[in-house]
Amino acid sequence: MLQGEGALTLRDRVEQHLQAIYHDISLDISFTEFADDLLGLMRLEVDENTPLQHTNHWNQCDTILITYGDSLLATDEKPLVTLKRFLDDNSEGLLSAVHILPFYPWSSDDGFAVLDYSSVNEALGDWSHIGEIAAGYDLMADLVINHCSSRSLWFENFIKGVEPGKGYFYTASPEDDLSSVVRPRTSPLLKEVETDEGTQYVWCTFSHDQVDLDFRNPEVLKQFVSIVRQYLDEGVRIFRLDAVAFLWKVPGTTCLNLEETHEVVRLLRTLVEHARADAVLITETNIPNRENLSYFGNANEAHCVYNFSLPPLLLNTLVTGDCSYLKQWVMSMPPAQNGTAYFNFIASHDGIGLRPAEGLLSDEELDALIVTMQSFGGHVSYRALENGENRPYEINIALYDALQGTVDGPDDWGLERFVCAHAIMLGLEGIPGIYLHSLLGTHNDHQRVENTGHARSINRHQWNLDLLQEALEDTQSSHSRVFSRLKALLATRRRQAAFHPNATQFTLHLGSAILGFWRQSMDRRQSVFCISNISPQPQPLNLRDINLIDAHQWQDLIGGEVYESHDQQLELRPYQTLWITNLPDHR
């Protein structure tokens, strides 16, 4: 909380945020007027009551499905209608929330070059379809806040020098010191543009069709506050702040994670939580682990941060059969304060990021992982370093194919390895997010890569719903087996208080081939020992090694086995996971 916050009005708090953001910028408006404008856009009163702090807006029943609006297609039906129909017919109440990736009109990057933030892409449906999904599921939407399309009305107006758009985009000079700028692409940072005011060089962190907005201009902030208000009105509860780490630029710096960026997140947190007490901000910051954690602030910035280090570390663990790096990282992660949580995922619409593994995996480990993934049909995307060299940025591959084997090559344990990955993720402290194509066991889509020319398309398959339903009804298909196994894990997880996202977690030391950690419910009544064999060989386990309390009867929640002796010797099958609890599972 801000110093002296208890005596401050909401206007005072907003003013403090604005003063911290624009401390060295001369504005044509007073901070009080600026604050009143933002409160007006959010329809908030100056003396609005401050929501209770350190409140968890989630529990063990929460799982977020990640999907594009058009990942499922049916004849003569808008894709958003198809998506809701699939969820209603197949999720069985196991998915509490849906993250629909950018559903706005766009020009490139599968939605992340937004043409119009206030509209729904007509090819997907309209706001009524979004509202129907929001009525049945918590809706997570992208606030693509760092940049928008070079073909947007805003950018066209920027070129013409008229509103809205005049002064909306960040410009720099090729003579500026940009040597320290960190970015995830290899294309030139600056794009030369002819405007009515002459030649300008606009800043493009990602691509030349994605032009960075200039938040030094108060009108840009006002626009996004207005957009946030509209999304709340349309039923959005969870906001994903896309690429927010790059928001504020100062030449001569890295232009990454600057203090002004953090203050913008704090401001949005203040406004959003006053507008809807259970609204949630999630920062999407694909950066090294320590920097990523900084977006929690002092429980006053993001409610949740993407746990970006988990995908590469877990993938490395399962293809090498050695959990040492993953275990070391799990031990190092600080417990999230109440009111904050980790957002755990192991696959998404993007690739498996390698920057979050920097300092956690050696260069040799990363090189071996890349070679293995390429042998399984994956691609590698690169970023430019300040010395002009290119460095691997992410691995592009469908997770099911990424786990088809080990560093020794493909084997027959792919399905078990894939399920093991999800069992580990579902057991860890945090809120789980499952990518639709992982839930369905979708394979690499090489044809889509060939059609689009983009490596990320490999994991962005579009399913015909009729063909998908046939695959799911065929109990022998890999899609059906994945779907049923993951749904069973989700059903079990949501019944366990020890899997609350903020429940206690301690790491167990069971050797390099067995990953183990202990979860305890917040009322301390339930314990769950999560134990996974992460190797292709059977592994011995003596229950004595995990110190089960004699006063309790212990049961494996996944397999159902009851352990009569606390000194029992077990043999874990390759990639088998046990969730051993002291409380019976009430199905």
Side-chain angles (χ1 to χ4, degrees):
M1 299 175 68
L2 298 173
Q3 186 176 6
E5 181 180 284
L8 299 179
T9 66
L10 176 57
R11 177 202 279 158
D12 292 334
R13 293 182 62 195
V14 173
E15 275 194 60
Q16 285 193 356
H17 290 308
L18 294 173
Q19 289 167 359
I21 295 168
Y22 296 98
H23 60 93
D24 62 351
I25 296 175
S26 178
L27 303 179
D28 294 331
I29 184 174
S30 73
F31 286 118
T32 300
E33 292 173 313
F34 197 170
D36 284 341
D37 285 348
L38 297 185
L39 294 177
L41 290 169
M42 289 292 288
R43 302 198 302 274
L44 295 173
E45 299 297 329
V46 169
D47 55 354
E48 195 90 21
N49 290 330
T50 299
L52 291 175
Q53 300 299 296
H54 303 290
T55 301
N56 296 324
H57 302 303
W58 43 77
N59 59 35
Q60 64 272 16
C61 295
D62 287 307
T63 298
I64 300 176
L65 180 75
I66 306 165
T67 181
Y68 279 103
D70 59 357
S71 291
L72 303 175
L73 303 174
T75 305
D76 299 325
E77 186 173 71
K78 290 292 187 181
L80 289 174
V81 176
T82 306
L83 173 61
K84 184 175 188 299
R85 184 157 60 90
F86 174 82
L87 291 172
D88 292 347
D89 293 345
N90 295 279
S91 71
E92 301 173 14
L94 301 177
L95 302 168
S96 62
V98 183
H99 173 201
I100 306 176
L101 289 153
F103 47 77
Y104 328 109
W106 53 276
S107 58
S108 65
D109 198 18
D110 283 354
F112 287 93
V114 179
L115 288 165
D116 177 10
Y117 291 87
S118 63
S119 302
V120 175
N121 184 349
E122 291 181 358
L124 300 178
D126 57 36
W127 281 115
S128 71
H129 300 127
I130 293 293
E132 288 169 4
I133 293 174
Y137 306 86
D138 288 332
L139 178 61
M140 178 170 165
D142 288 278
L143 190 66
V144 186
I145 194 170
N146 178 70
H147 52 263
C148 72
S149 171
S150 67
R151 286 177 266 179
S152 64
L153 176 63
W154 286 354
F155 195 68
E156 290 177 359
N157 286 347
F158 169 81
I159 292 173
K160 298 174 184 176
V162 299
E163 300 289 0
K166 180 181 179 181
Y168 275 27
F169 296 91
Y170 195 94
T171 61
S173 167
E175 306 304 316
D176 289 339
D177 177 12
L178 306 178
S179 61
S180 298
V181 174
V182 173
R183 52 194 296 265
R185 297 293 184 270
T186 57
S187 56
L189 175 62
L190 300 182
K191 173 184 177 180
E192 184 177 337
V193 178
E194 297 303 322
T195 74
D196 284 3
E197 297 180 3
T199 301
Q200 298 200 55
Y201 296 88
V202 292
W203 192 287
C204 301
T205 296
F206 292 91
S207 78
H208 283 191
D209 188 41
Q210 294 165 290
V211 189
D212 285 38
L213 293 149
D214 188 354
F215 276 81
R216 295 175 303 179
N217 182 346
E219 295 304 315
V220 174
L221 180 58
K222 290 180 186 179
Q223 285 281 8
F224 275 89
V225 169
S226 178
I227 291 163
V228 166
R229 179 69 261 180
Q230 180 191 358
Y231 290 1
L232 286 166
D233 292 342
E234 299 290 356
V236 173
R237 184 169 90 83
I238 308 170
F239 292 83
R240 176 184 183 269
L241 304 186
D242 176 66
V244 69
F246 301 95
L247 188 72
W248 201 270
K249 288 87 174 168
V250 176
T253 73
T254 63
C255 299
L256 185 68
N257 308 318
L258 299 188
E259 180 54 32
E260 292 87 349
T261 294
H262 283 279
E263 196 65 45
V264 170
V265 176
R266 294 180 199 120
L267 169 63
L268 292 175
R269 165 81 174 252
T270 296
L271 293 172
V272 166
E273 68 183 4
H274 279 81
R276 178 171 176 170
D278 66 344
V280 172
L281 298 184
I282 301 183
T283 47
E284 187 268 333
T285 49
N286 191 356
I287 51 181
N289 191 56
R290 185 180 297 275
E291 298 170 37
N292 187 36
L293 294 179
S294 70
Y295 283 88
F296 278 139
N298 185 23
N300 63 348
E301 293 189 34
H303 296 87
C304 303
V305 298
Y306 270 72
N307 224 344
F308 271 109
S309 295
L310 179 59
L313 289 177
L314 183 53
L315 180 61
N316 180 75
T317 292
L318 290 167
V319 300
T320 63
D322 185 341
C323 67
S324 302
Y325 291 102
L326 178 60
K327 183 169 69 174
Q328 184 177 5
W329 170 75
V330 170
M331 291 172 61
S332 73
M333 294 294 281
Q337 298 183 54
N338 281 330
T340 66
Y342 294 110
F343 180 60
N344 293 330
F345 73 106
I346 51 178
S348 74
H349 62 291
D350 288 339
I352 297 166
L354 297 177
R355 286 216 71 205
E358 291 178 9
L360 302 173
L361 294 177
S362 67
D363 289 344
E364 292 75 19
E365 288 279 349
L366 288 172
D367 290 343
L369 183 61
I370 289 170
V371 169
T372 301
M373 292 302 102
Q374 288 175 319
S375 73
F376 294 163
H379 301 276
V380 179
S381 296
Y382 293 85
R383 66 184 181 94
L385 301 180
E386 60 186 65
N387 61 7
E389 295 180 6
N390 292 337
R391 182 170 183 151
Y393 175 70
E394 67 180 15
I395 298 169
N396 304 114
I397 192 169
L399 186 63
Y400 190 81
D401 286 334
L403 292 170
Q404 66 182 270
T406 68
V407 290
D408 295 323
D411 58 27
D412 296 329
W413 295 106
L415 174 62
E416 299 303 324
R417 193 179 290 111
F418 185 78
V419 173
C420 178
H422 285 85
I424 291 170
M425 187 261 287
L426 292 173
L428 286 169
E429 174 191 353
I431 302 168
I434 297 186
Y435 188 39
L436 176 69
H437 291 303
S438 292
L439 191 64
L440 303 176
T442 307
H443 293 282
N444 290 332
D445 191 337
H446 297 292
Q447 185 61 55
R448 191 170 177 84
V449 174
E450 185 175 331
N451 292 344
T452 65
H454 298 296
R456 283 180 166 177
S457 297
I458 198 170
N459 198 24
R460 299 178 180 180
H461 181 70
Q462 290 180 300
W463 274 100
N464 174 280
L465 186 60
D466 290 339
L467 294 178
L468 174 60
Q469 293 290 13
E470 288 180 15
L472 295 180
E473 290 167 8
D474 177 3
T475 57
Q476 299 305 307
S477 78
S478 60
H479 306 294
S480 177
R481 288 185 288 169
V482 164
F483 195 48
S484 61
R485 295 277 296 275
L486 295 190
K487 286 206 299 182
L489 287 175
L490 288 170
T492 299
R493 180 187 186 277
R494 72 194 312 270
R495 295 190 293 267
Q496 318 308 321
F499 285 146
H500 187 287
N502 295 89
T504 298
Q505 176 173 292
F506 284 107
T507 308
L508 306 176
H509 299 282
L510 302 171
S512 62
I514 299 179
L515 177 70
F517 50 91
W518 171 68
R519 303 294 309 281
Q520 184 184 57
S521 60
M522 299 174 81
D523 63 7
R524 300 187 178 182
R525 293 183 62 243
Q526 185 185 32
S527 290
V528 177
F529 291 89
C530 304
I531 301 169
S532 298
N533 176 4
I534 50 81
S535 78
Q537 290 84 34
Q539 297 294 329
L541 174 72
N542 194 304
L543 292 182
R544 181 178 61 246
D545 295 335
I546 58 175
N547 296 320
L548 301 183
I549 299 173
D550 290 338
H552 297 295
Q553 184 180 63
W554 296 86
Q555 174 188 3
D556 173 26
L557 293 168
I558 297 176
E561 183 177 356
V562 175
Y563 303 109
E564 302 295 343
S565 170
H566 301 160
D567 194 22
Q568 190 170 338
Q569 184 73 27
L570 307 180
E571 183 177 84
L572 297 178
R573 299 186 304 274
Y575 304 106
Q576 181 181 6
T577 293
L578 305 177
W579 285 346
I580 301 176
T581 185
N582 61 317
L583 294 179
D585 188 27
H586 300 291
R587 298 179 184 274

